[in-house]
Each structure stands twice: as structure tokens, then as C-alpha cells.
């Protein structure tokens, strides 16, 4: 199986699929092609949340604002999975979660000069993903195209500050429903459902489901990612709480 994820929209992913299908009989599965354009951190967050639900696979990821520059192309082996994409950090959060305690290995891709300086998804990453799939995740390093490296671009998410009665964090992403997903662990809301907390100076109810409040009403809850999110039942949390990606979020829990 090869999964594909990008910020390309349409029709560029079709060209990547065509390249793979010429070199492989892999099953192709789209993760998403509508990640915010050139937003490496948002893509990395969603890949970290989605890819662990797949069986062992090769994951092709192209969110690549540095295409055509001297940034490297890499394969990251993470347990039974391999992630193929640009060396800009987008692969690393998912790789660490996929690898568990096994650690990760990174290989630079060398397929010669690509045909295009603007479409490495088609000319570098797609053929590399096919090569990894055909060789096997545990054996591709025997190919000349893959050179092990010790240095690569990492990406980590900021850590919240949590102490008794208070949590300080930030909005990591806003999903398509308008839920503002923070880096504050959902565990801070344990035992507080049905009560209220103060978010950036304003009180809001804490509930386990969106429908626990009336339509259009704000709430604080824990999403499937196990982080605190700011939401509105049938509305947009980022607007109602007046926050955007990167904004600070302060929770007073008492």
C-alpha cells in the first residue's frame, strides 16, 4: 500500500499516481490533498493523527515550499512504515508516533536530476515511493538511490505549561469544522465535564460532546486527538473564541 498526501488540490496528484502505477502494483490510498498550501506544520499534525491508523505502508507526502532548492528529499523508516517526502520536518511527527520505541532511520534520496524543478512530487517522491514499496520497507536501503544520513530537519510541536489550576498553550490547527485544536492535553479537563473553565478571560462550559450545548453555543472539549479544543455546536470555534493558528490559549481551570 502507498498512501498519498499533499497540498496540491487537483490535478497534480493524478500525475504522481500515474508514475507509481507504471512502476508498481501497489494499492493507492489518498489521505488528503487539501492541506493548507505550504503549511508544513499543519500537514505534520494531521499526518501524525491519521497515519498510525493504517496498516504497514509507504506514505508519500508532498508539502514542499522549498521545492527546487537545495533541501534534500528523504525516506524515513519508522517501524513497519516508510515515509517519503521533503526534508523539511513534515514527516517526523508521524514517523515518531509510528515507530513507537524502535527509533527512526533517515535516508536521502538520490535519483539523479529531476525532469522538473517545480514538481518533485512527480519526478522524485513518486518514483522513490514506488522503489521503496517494491523493495520492501525493511530492505530498500540496499538500493543505490537511498543513502543513510545522520542529520535531517526536525519538527516538533510546542509544549504547553500545565500547573495546578492553569494551563498555557497555543492553537496548533483549526480543522474544517472550525474547531481550534490546542496543544493542551485533554487530561486537564478530567472531572470537569458539566462545569466551566475560563478561556483567555472568558467563561465557557466543558462538555464531552458538541451537542451537549445548544446550537451556536461555545464549549471546551477534548477531541479525538486527545487535546483540548475550542468549539461551537454547529458553528466555528475559532471565530467564537477569537483565535487563530499560533495564538496563545490560557485556561483557568478553577
Amino acid at each position: 500500500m502507498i498512501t498519498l498526501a499533499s497540498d496540491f488540490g487537483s490535478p497534480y496528484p493524478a500525475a504522481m499516481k500515474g508514475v507509481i502505477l507504471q512502476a508498481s502494483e501497489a494499492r493507492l490510498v489518498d489521505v488528503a490533498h487539501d492541506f493548507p498550501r505550504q503549511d508544513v506544520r499543519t500537514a505534520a499534525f494531521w499526518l501524525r493523527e491519521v497515519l498510525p491508523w493504517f496498516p504497514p505502508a509507504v506514505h508519500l507526502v508532498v508539502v514542499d515550499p522549498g521545492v527546487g532548492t537545495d533541501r534534500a528529499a528523504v525516506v524515513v523508516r519508522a517501524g513497519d512504515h516508510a515515509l517519503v517526502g521533503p526534508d523539511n520536518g513534515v514527516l517526523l511527527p508521524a514517523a515518531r508516533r509510528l515507530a513507537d520505541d524502535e527509533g527512526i532511520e533517515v535516508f536521502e534520496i538520490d535519483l539523479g536530476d529531476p525532469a522538473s524543478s517545480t514538481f518533485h512530487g512527480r519526478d522524485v517522491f513518486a518514483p522513490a515511493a514506488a522503489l521503496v514499496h517494491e523493495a520492501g520497507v525493511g530492505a530498500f536501503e540496499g538500493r543505490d538511490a537511498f543513502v543513510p544520513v545522520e542529520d535531517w530537519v526536525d519538527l516538533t510541536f510546542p509544549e504547553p505549561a500545565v500547573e495546578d489550576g492553569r494551563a498555557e498553550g497555543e492553537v496548533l490547527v483549526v480543522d474544517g469544522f472550525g474547531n481550534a485544536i490546542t496543544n493542551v492535553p485533554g487530561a486537564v479537563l478530567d472531572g470537569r465535564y458539566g462545569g466551566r473553565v475560563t478561556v483567555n478571560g472568558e467563561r465557557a462550559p466543558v462538555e464531552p460532546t458538541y451537542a451537549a450545548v445548544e446550537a451556536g453555543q461555545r464549549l471546551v472539549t477534548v477531541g479525538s486527538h486527545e487535546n483540548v479544543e475550542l468549539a461551537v455546536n454547529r458553528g466555528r470555534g475559532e471565530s467564537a473564541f477569537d483565535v487563530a493558528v499560533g495564538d496563545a490559549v490560557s485556561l483557568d481551570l478553577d
Side-chain angles (χ1 to χ4, degrees), residues 82-104:
L83 300 95
V84 179
D87 184 23
N88 60 14
V90 69
L91 308 177
L92 271 298
R96 282 191 291 266
R97 186 160 289 182
L98 288 166
D100 296 322
D101 295 327
E102 297 179 39
I104 60 175

Side-chain angles (χ1 to χ4, degrees), residues 19 25 38 42 45 72 84 90 119 136 148-149 157 160 164-166 170 175 179 186 215-216 224:
V19 169
E25 296 183 355
Q38 303 180 343
T42 293
F45 174 86
V84 179
V90 69
F119 197 1
V149 294
F157 298 106
D164 290 342
R166 188 172 180 84
E170 71 174 67
D175 70 15
N179 301 314
S224 61

Side-chain angles (χ1 to χ4, degrees), residues 129-186:
L131 280 173
V132 172
H133 182 273
E134 294 306 294
V137 169
F140 68 83
E141 71 270 25
R143 303 288 183 99
D144 291 341
F146 306 108
V147 180
V149 294
E150 298 296 330
D151 296 311
W152 55 84
V153 176
D154 201 357
L155 186 156
T156 58
F157 298 106
E159 293 291 334
V162 180
E163 55 188 32
D164 290 342
R166 188 172 180 84
E168 301 279 350
E170 71 174 67
V171 177
L172 293 179
V173 297
V174 176
D175 70 15
F177 292 97
N179 301 314
I181 300 167
T182 77
N183 63 337
V184 178

Side-chain angles (χ1 to χ4, degrees), residues 34-245:
D34 59 354
F35 288 135
R37 300 290 168 83
Q38 303 180 343
D39 188 338
V40 172
R41 192 173 86 155
T42 293
F45 174 86
W46 288 119
L47 293 166
R48 186 188 71 174
E49 298 303 315
V50 171
L51 296 187
W53 294 98
F54 279 88
V58 177
H59 306 287
L60 169 56
V61 179
V62 192
V63 178
D64 190 17
V67 63
T69 69
D70 60 359
R71 68 94 187 90
V74 294
V75 182
V76 181
R77 182 158 54 202
D80 294 330
H81 297 255
L83 300 95
V84 179
D87 184 23
N88 60 14
V90 69
L91 308 177
L92 271 298
R96 282 191 291 266
R97 186 160 289 182
L98 288 166
D100 296 322
D101 295 327
E102 297 179 39
I104 60 175
E105 300 171 90
V106 181
F107 302 81
E108 188 168 337
I109 300 167
D110 183 6
L111 296 178
D113 293 333
S116 168
S117 62
T118 62
F119 197 1
H120 287 185
R122 179 194 66 194
D123 299 335
V124 177
F125 302 125
L131 280 173
V132 172
H133 182 273
E134 294 306 294
V137 169
F140 68 83
E141 71 270 25
R143 303 288 183 99
D144 291 341
F146 306 108
V147 180
V149 294
E150 298 296 330
D151 296 311
W152 55 84
V153 176
D154 201 357
L155 186 156
T156 58
F157 298 106
E159 293 291 334
V162 180
E163 55 188 32
D164 290 342
R166 188 172 180 84
E168 301 279 350
E170 71 174 67
V171 177
L172 293 179
V173 297
V174 176
D175 70 15
F177 292 97
N179 301 314
I181 300 167
T182 77
N183 63 337
V184 178
V188 304
L189 300 182
D190 287 351
R192 289 182 165 85
Y193 289 131
R196 287 179 173 265
V197 296
T198 302
V199 182
N200 291 350
E202 297 186 8
R203 300 289 280 175
V206 180
E207 298 292 350
T209 64
Y210 306 113
V213 300
E214 296 293 326
Q217 296 299 304
R218 305 190 309 169
L219 70 149
V220 180
T221 192
V222 180
S224 61
H225 36 70
E226 299 183 351
N227 288 359
V228 171
E229 67 178 45
L230 313 179
V232 170
N233 182 20
R234 304 187 190 182
R236 298 194 63 86
E238 95 278 28
S239 297
F241 284 89
D242 192 25
V243 292
V245 172

